[in-house]
């Protein structure tokens, strides 16, 4: 009797292991289909000036677009996810030092990464938010490239990206945005210059950087990071609708809301929004209040 139960338990456990292995095999297969897909794109070449005003504008964009969160403040690269089930994900060394970009990495290669989310083999970059950067105008994207190219070389060995079993499952299910190239209109013709002023139109342009977490509608919802706090609604129907312009600007600079809540930098990256100029925050406020 007892040995019969044992036998059945063993069969059951074995059966479960087989099911899990098959499911994992299927997810691995699907994952590789996403990462091995090659894209045929025509990269539109644009001039990249190298004067000091352009480089200064590029530095500001590097800060407010959060490049440093994933590539390091000095571009040396950074491991920003290190969790065995999800994986180890590192932003590349963006300098031309050892372990960084090859000397052959020209403006077209930069544009292909930033606007198409593709690497040198025309396969999707992993997790790099190019689906947001592809909406930047020619001036902004050229300034970012100019700034990065003007930085000193740093030698740091490149860290290879490794996606764990949970990371494969969640990315295949679309729960983590691992494949930017799939979410880009590769035919998009970006404007040469979006007028930078305290207007809601400029606010809409800037708000693309908020959509990765606050959703394209900016009404918030689930956190894109598994297990993260829910993301707030930042349209006029949320708290922001009740805040004055001064309160909005103070919140994005200090992380402290008029309701007295201290936003945590790991949830809401307010040290990044603190770097926005008065004009940029005003534009964002006007846009958010209008939707
Ligand atoms: C959420 C994190 C994240 C942010 C923010 C981010 N990147 Fe990346 N980026 C990555 C990762 C990860 C890779 C490596 C992807 C890969 O190798 O598949 C990458 C790759 C790149 C590459 C391609 C380098 C190569 O070796 O092929 C460039 C260029 C780049 N990023 C520039 C930028 C710039 C400029 C910004 C800001 C405008 C930025 N990134 C913002 C995560 C990020
Ligand atoms: C990395 C994800 C992420 C990005 C990017 C992000 N946010 Fe947030 N934001 C959050 C989360 C999560 C919360 C909720 C935090 C909490 O409840 O503690 C939040 C909260 C807020 C709040 C407070 C809302 C309230 O009702 O108290 C404001 C305002 C805000 N974000 C504005 C912005 C703006 C503007 C941008 C773009 C410039 C932006 N956020 C980009 C994740 C993000």
């Amino acid at each position: 009797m007892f040995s019969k139960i044992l036998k059945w338990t063993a069969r059951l456990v074995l059966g479960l292991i087989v099911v899990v292995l098959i499911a994992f095999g299927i997810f691995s297969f699907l994952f590789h289909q996403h990462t091995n897909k090659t894209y045929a794109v025509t990269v539109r070449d644009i001039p990249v000036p190298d004067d000091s005003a352009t480089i200064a504008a590029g530095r500001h964009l590097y800060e407010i677009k959060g490049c440093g969160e994933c590539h390091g403040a000095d571009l040396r690269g950074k491991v920003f996810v290190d969790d065995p089930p999800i994986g180890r994900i590192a932003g590349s060394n963006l300098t031309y030092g050892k372990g960084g970009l090859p000397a052959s990495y020209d403006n077209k290669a930069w544009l292909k990464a930033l606007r198409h989310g593709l690497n040198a083999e025309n396969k999707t970059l992993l997790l790099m938010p190019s689906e947001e950067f592809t909406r930047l105008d020619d001036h902004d994207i050229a300034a970012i490239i100019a700034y990065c190219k003007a930085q000193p070389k740093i030698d740091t060995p490149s860290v290879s990206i490794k996606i764990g079993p949970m990371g494969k499952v969640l990315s295949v299910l679309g729960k983590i945005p691992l494949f930017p190239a799939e979410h880009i209109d590769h035919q998009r013709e970006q404007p040469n210059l979006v007028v930078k002023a305290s207007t809601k139109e400029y606010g809409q342009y800037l708000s693309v950087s908020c959509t990765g977490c606050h959703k394209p509608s900016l009404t918030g919802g689930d956190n894109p990071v598994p297990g993260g706090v829910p993301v707030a609604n930042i349209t006029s129907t949320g708290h922001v609708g009740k805040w004055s312009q001064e309160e909005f600007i103070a919140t994005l600079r200090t992380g402290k809301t008029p309701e007295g809540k201290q936003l945590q930098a790991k949830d809401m990256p307010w040290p990044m929004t603190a770097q926005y100029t008065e004009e940029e925050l005003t534009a964002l406020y006007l846009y958010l209040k209008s939707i």
Side-chain angles (χ1 to χ4, degrees):
M1 176 68 189
F2 189 64
S3 72
K4 231 179 180 171
I5 295 178
L6 250 165
K7 231 189 216 159
W8 277 104
T9 314
R11 280 187 191 154
L12 203 73
V13 169
L14 218 72
L16 273 175
I17 292 174
V18 170
V19 169
V20 167
L21 283 178
I22 291 176
F24 182 61
I26 293 173
F27 275 106
S28 290
F29 172 76
L30 293 173
F31 178 81
H32 285 106
Q33 285 209 318
H34 285 278
T35 53
N36 284 334
K37 181 173 178 196
T38 55
Y39 292 76
V41 297
T42 321
V43 179
R44 183 169 56 89
D45 212 356
I46 57 170
V48 175
D50 58 3
D51 57 283
S52 59
T54 303
I55 291 173
R59 167 190 286 274
H60 177 64
L61 286 160
Y62 189 87
E63 288 166 356
I64 68 167
K65 299 297 170 191
C67 314
E69 309 285 327
C70 301
H71 292 282
D74 59 4
L75 286 71
R76 68 168 61 235
K78 185 174 165 182
V79 175
F80 61 92
V81 176
D82 200 358
D83 171 278
I86 301 282
R88 187 187 55 216
I89 311 181
S92 345
N93 175 349
L94 295 179
T95 76
Y96 287 83
K98 284 197 201 78
L101 302 173
S104 61
Y105 206 83
D106 57 9
N107 291 346
K108 273 206 157 166
W110 278 95
L111 289 164
K112 195 158 75 171
L114 291 165
R115 288 189 153 169
H116 297 276
L118 297 173
N119 64 19
E121 287 101 55
N122 283 3
K123 292 181 180 163
T124 189
L125 291 169
L126 295 177
L127 207 71
M128 157 77 181
S130 307
E131 72 278 12
E132 294 176 13
F133 306 144
T134 193
R135 294 171 181 268
L136 292 174
D137 68 22
D138 289 352
H139 269 73
D140 283 351
I141 216 80
I144 293 174
I145 297 172
Y147 169 70
C148 292
K149 288 178 75 175
Q151 298 316 299
K153 293 180 183 174
I154 298 178
D155 302 335
T156 41
S158 65
V159 179
S160 57
I161 297 181
K162 222 177 132 358
I163 306 296
M166 207 54 198
K168 287 185 181 167
V169 171
L170 290 174
S171 60
V172 167
L173 294 175
K175 298 286 179 200
I176 44 177
L178 216 53
F179 316 118
E182 293 180 5
H183 305 285
I184 290 178
D185 169 7
H186 294 281
Q187 256 74 52
R188 177 186 293 276
E189 175 90 20
Q190 293 84 357
N192 178 257
L193 180 66
V194 168
V195 179
K196 286 148 178 90
S198 304
T199 59
K200 65 173 197 277
E201 289 71 27
Y202 184 42
Q204 176 169 24
Y205 174 76
L206 292 169
S207 74
V208 171
S209 303
C210 323
T211 55
C213 300
H214 289 277
K215 313 279 171 215
S217 63
L218 297 169
T219 49
D222 288 342
N223 198 301
V225 181
V229 302
V231 187
N233 172 2
I234 54 170
T235 70
S236 58
T237 55
H239 285 140
V240 176
K242 299 190 203 86
W243 299 349
S244 68
Q245 185 174 310
E246 290 68 36
E247 287 174 326
F248 176 79
I249 293 179
T251 303
L252 293 199
R253 291 216 162 132
T254 63
K256 198 162 171 22
T257 74
E259 287 77 29
K261 179 173 187 177
Q262 180 61 52
L263 301 169
Q264 300 304 309
K266 64 170 177 38
D267 303 324
M268 162 63 199
W270 64 263
M272 179 181 88
T273 54
Q275 319 247 29
Y276 279 71
T277 64
E278 186 94 16
E279 181 179 77
E280 287 162 344
L281 291 177
T282 305
L284 271 170
Y285 176 75
L286 294 175
Y287 175 62
L288 295 175
K289 284 280 274 192
S290 77
I291 55 170

